Amino acid sequence: MMLWIRLAIMELSRDRRFSLFFILNLSIGLVGFIALNSFNRSLEKHLKDNLKQILTADLMVSSARPLNENENQIIESTLGS
């Protein structure tokens, strides 16, 4: 394992321009990934907090798994369409 790390460091130190280009690309990729993840969490939080207003409903039914047909019929008969 140490051999691979030593070889990678040696290869990166040989070609400075490639190393700079590699580190720059890696940094841009990580920043983009973090920005997309942050946007995703923000959007999910906004939707979760404002779902009642978006749906214009007084009640919302949610489940961690898909509801089966029997459960859907119970919900329909209780709440209506």
Side-chain angles (χ1 to χ4, degrees):
M1 184 70 169
M2 287 299 290
L3 176 66
W4 289 104
I5 295 172
R6 197 173 335 129
L7 287 173
I9 291 173
M10 204 166 51
E11 189 65 33
L12 286 174
S13 65
R14 270 192 210 152
D15 192 0
R16 299 269 184 210
R17 287 191 326 205
F18 173 77
S19 300
L20 182 63
F21 181 71
F22 178 76
I23 291 171
L24 182 67
N25 276 334
L26 186 63
S27 301
I28 290 171
L30 287 174
V31 167
F33 178 74
I34 291 169
L36 284 175
N37 193 23
S38 174
F39 177 72
N40 184 25
R41 286 186 183 197
S42 174
L43 185 63
E44 284 179 356
K45 183 180 182 315
H46 175 73
L47 288 176
K48 183 180 177 186
D49 292 344
N50 298 317
L51 199 52
K52 273 190 179 179
Q53 289 79 23
I54 293 170
L55 291 174
T56 63
D58 294 328
L59 184 65
M60 179 181 71
V61 177
S62 65
S63 173
R65 61 172 176 76
L67 299 174
N68 60 32
E69 191 59 38
N70 186 29
E71 293 166 334
N72 280 333
Q73 288 175 356
I74 293 171
I75 292 171
E76 287 288 328
S77 66
T78 304
L79 299 177
S81 56

